[in-house]
Amino acid sequence: MEPPERPDIRVTLSREQALVLSDWLDRRMSEKDFAAVVDDRAVWSPLLKLAGSLETQLAEIFAANYSQLLDDARQRLLPALGEFGLPEGDDSAD
C-alpha cells in the first residue's frame, strides 16, 4: 500500500543564511573528503536539490562584489550565534 501523499517540506532562510550556505555547499560538495562523509548515497539527492535551488535564487553569486557581499552576510549572521560554534576556550566572537 502506498503512503498517503504529503506536502513538500519548505525551509525559509534569510538571504544572508542562503548566501553563506550556498557558498559553503559549493566549496564543500566538490571536495573528496566531503564525498566520504556522505555515507548514504540518497543524501546526495537533497544536497544537490538544495545547492541548485540556492544557486538559481541568489543573483548575488554573480555580482562583481560577491566576495564583499558574502563577507558582509557572514558578519551579520555571527552576532546571533553568540558563542555557539567557537572552539572551547576561544572568547572571540569572530
Side-chain angles (χ1 to χ4, degrees):
M1 180 174 205
E2 291 289 321
E5 186 70 27
R6 295 186 296 193
D8 290 343
I9 303 281
R10 305 244 183 252
V11 176
T12 302
L13 301 172
S14 70
R15 290 204 76 79
E16 288 87 3
Q17 290 170 326
L19 189 60
V20 169
L21 181 58
S22 176
D23 179 73
W24 185 85
L25 284 171
D26 183 59
R27 289 183 291 113
R28 296 295 178 241
M29 286 177 64
S30 61
E31 294 176 353
K32 189 173 189 144
D33 290 343
F34 184 78
V37 170
V38 181
D39 61 352
D40 180 347
R41 190 167 171 251
V43 171
W44 281 105
S45 177
L47 283 174
L48 293 169
K49 174 83 172 188
L50 180 58
S53 294
L54 291 171
E55 187 174 295
T56 60
Q57 295 183 55
L58 291 167
E60 292 91 334
I61 64 176
F62 301 108
N65 62 339
Y66 171 72
S67 293
Q68 184 63 51
L69 295 172
L70 181 60
D71 187 53
D72 291 348
R74 285 186 174 122
Q75 295 309 311
R76 285 191 296 272
L77 292 174
L78 290 175
L81 292 173
E83 294 184 21
F84 181 82
L86 287 176
E88 284 191 39
D90 186 348
D91 294 331
S92 70
D94 295 302

